[in-house]
Amino acid sequence: MEEITFRTKIIMGENALDRLKSFQNEKIMIVTDPFIEKSGIIKEIICRIDGNNNSYIIFNEIIPDPPIETVAIGVKVLQQFSPNIMIAIGGGSAIDAAKAIKDFSGKLNRDQASLTFIAIPTTSGTGSEVTSFSVITDKDAAVKYPLVADSLLPDEAILDSSLVQSVPPAITADTGMDVLTHALEAYVSTKANDFSDAFSEKAIQLIFKYLPRAYRDGDDLEAREKVHHASCLAGLAFNMVGLGINHSIAHACGAQFNIPHGRMNAILLTAVIDYNAALPDFNERGKHYTKAAKKYAHIANIIGSPSTNPRSGVKGLQAQITKISNLLNIPENLKKCGVSKEKLQGAKERIIEAALNDACTKTNPRSPSSFEIEKILDKIQ
Ligand code: NAD
């Protein structure tokens, strides 16, 4: 038996942010990063809550790949201020940190477990606004920990793509490729079902069509909106059925080498597809294609790369991924991100161990050995 619940209410479209005007006499804690405050994006929130409510506080100390220490400071701020609403505004880092702050505070003080939690993404990437995941980094150990619990789910997500307009091209590219990775991993997850597939397929179509446009011209509002929706759709998909080893390896490698999450995912994508598809040797052609290979081929068809068999479908999908990565100027391997062969060699064992233990590995279509993860790392070096 399977059960599908969508707990997060999604508010989108024109004037979506006006939802915030309905709060009256509340105590509100805003969690964000310094850029969102300095750039003035935060004013879009303040102008809708100021005056109607008792008080608000801004905790603006979130940095990319939020570390445990920042979460601990946030917990103290929340304990002292004791709000009844928390608004997280920013990229995945701000939303994830807010989730962890709320959850840890709730464990210390039950009253704080019930505060209303609103997530407002300003990047189109993680889908964190609708997921029960939060990725927190232990900078000393160079490890990322994905926390997974229903209690991390936001109560409401507000999608306003005008907030994403200021995202520079490189971050648009990285975060957009994160969306594609979410959707593709959910699509071949061991738990994938017709519902998650519907979200994944739509997200993948939107990314291939609109991400290059959003990258080329950040003011292309139609493209921005479609990529923002794709991010949320992919979040809904993987929240239902999990991810795979692309994310497990990306968490480990990204933490070791300080590579932005979406970029790390993009670098891994074609190598992981190779592994998951497990195409039979040429001389056994037609004998057996894995379910993952058939599903990748179906995706190739959907994005306009028709194939006559799963083998050519998998290759067609990989070619389309390489094409979009090139259009977005994503570095093709670790070397191009400044990671030498020797550096990778020195960290390999730690990366393999972390990847094998990562929660995302459980739903990968193939269960990898250390040796197989090592082979994937060798392909991307
Ligand atoms: P991010 O939140 O780390 O932000 C990246 C940079 O973009 C920051 O410098 C930020 O200030 C800037 N930025 C944010 N909004 C902007 C805007 N509108 N204009 C200009 N700059 C802006 O990036 P992200 O990719 O959204 O999040 C990455 C984090 O999310 C990683 O820690 C990753 O592991 C995690 N993650 C979480 C989930 C989940 O389900 N919770 C899923 C995937 C990844």
Side-chain angles (χ1 to χ4, degrees):
M1 187 175 79
E2 286 175 60
E3 198 179 299
I4 301 173
T5 313
F6 299 103
R7 208 189 93 178
T8 307
K9 184 193 281 183
I10 298 170
I11 298 162
M12 55 191 270
E14 225 177 301
N15 305 321
L17 283 174
D18 283 350
R19 153 72 179 125
L20 301 175
K21 287 184 180 168
S22 63
F23 295 137
Q24 303 281 333
N25 307 319
E26 309 282 8
K27 258 183 118 176
I28 302 173
M29 175 167 170
I30 300 170
V31 177
T32 192
D33 72 34
F35 169 81
I36 299 296
E37 192 172 23
K38 246 186 267 146
S39 66
I41 293 178
I42 198 86
K43 287 187 195 143
E44 295 293 331
I45 309 301
I46 305 300
C47 71
R48 288 173 169 87
I49 60 169
D50 199 14
N52 314 332
N53 293 286
N54 293 342
S55 54
Y56 68 86
I57 188 172
I58 301 173
F59 179 62
N60 72 350
E61 293 182 29
I62 310 304
I63 56 171
D65 302 324
I68 296 165
E69 292 77 9
T70 312
V71 171
I73 299 170
V75 170
K76 273 193 197 149
V77 173
L78 191 149
Q79 299 271 311
Q80 277 161 13
F81 184 63
S82 199
N84 49 340
I85 292 179
M86 180 187 257
I87 298 175
I89 175 159
S93 295
I95 297 175
D96 279 9
K99 286 176 171 175
I101 291 169
K102 174 182 174 281
D103 213 51
F104 292 145
S105 292
K107 289 194 169 88
L108 296 172
N109 178 343
R110 268 218 201 129
D111 287 351
Q112 287 164 357
S114 61
L115 90 168
T116 302
F117 180 30
I118 319 272
I120 309 176
T122 63
T123 59
S124 307
T126 67
S128 182
E129 68 276 11
V130 289
T131 74
S132 46
F133 290 72
S134 162
V135 186
I136 301 302
T137 301
D138 179 342
K139 298 260 181 205
D140 294 336
V143 180
K144 280 183 159 192
Y145 295 107
L147 314 173
V148 192
D150 279 351
S151 55
L152 296 170
L153 271 169
D155 297 296
E156 295 181 22
I158 302 182
L159 303 184
D160 179 339
S161 50
S162 72
L163 300 177
V164 185
Q165 237 176 305
S166 54
V167 176
I171 298 179
T172 300
D174 293 342
T175 49
M177 290 304 281
D178 195 18
V179 176
L180 181 59
T181 314
H182 291 154
L184 280 169
E185 290 215 278
Y187 200 63
V188 297
S189 152
T190 52
K191 290 189 177 168
N193 57 50
D194 286 341
F195 296 84
S196 61
D197 282 359
F199 288 127
S200 294
E201 286 180 9
K202 186 67 183 176
I204 293 166
Q205 278 176 312
L206 291 176
I207 285 297
F208 275 102
K209 184 162 177 195
Y210 292 101
L211 180 58
R213 267 174 57 182
Y215 174 76
R216 265 194 312 272
D217 175 9
D219 292 326
D220 180 338
L221 289 181
E222 185 192 19
R224 284 292 199 192
E225 182 174 70
K226 297 293 186 190
V227 176
H228 211 42
H229 291 175
S231 172
C232 188
L233 286 164
L236 290 166
F238 84 78
N239 197 51
M240 228 185 279
V241 297
L243 291 164
I245 58 166
N246 206 108
H247 266 78
S248 309
I249 304 173
H251 288 147
C253 264
Q256 280 291 327
F257 306 127
N258 221 359
I259 297 171
H261 175 71
R263 190 174 309 171
M264 194 58 241
N265 269 330
I267 291 170
L268 280 157
L269 255 179
T270 53
V272 169
I273 289 174
D274 250 347
Y275 171 71
N276 284 343
L279 291 173
D281 287 340
F282 256 106
N283 52 10
E284 343 167 36
R285 192 162 9 169
K287 270 197 181 157
H288 172 71
Y289 285 110
T290 58
K291 190 173 170 192
K294 290 178 195 160
K295 288 191 91 172
Y296 287 137
H298 184 62
I299 285 296
N301 275 320
I302 285 177
I303 57 170
S305 180
S307 55
T308 49
N309 58 54
R311 175 183 299 280
S312 60
V314 171
K315 299 291 172 200
L317 173 62
Q318 288 173 311
Q320 291 299 323
I321 291 170
T322 304
K323 188 172 158 198
I324 196 172
S325 296
N326 290 341
L327 277 173
L328 303 174
N329 293 308
I330 298 274
E332 65 204 70
N333 52 35
L334 288 175
K335 192 172 166 208
K336 296 230 163 114
C337 297
V339 179
S340 65
K341 224 175 172 175
E342 294 69 35
K343 229 171 155 183
L344 175 62
Q345 194 58 37
K348 241 183 196 173
E349 241 176 74
R350 279 194 302 278
I351 293 172
I352 294 169
E353 197 194 334
L356 288 173
N357 290 325
D358 193 288
C360 299
T361 302
K362 283 192 207 118
T363 43
N364 197 66
R366 288 181 73 191
S367 194
S369 64
S370 313
F371 177 66
E372 286 166 338
I373 303 263
E374 184 171 7
K375 270 179 46 188
I376 293 172
L377 289 172
D378 289 343
K379 276 194 185 168
I380 61 155
Q381 75 186 2

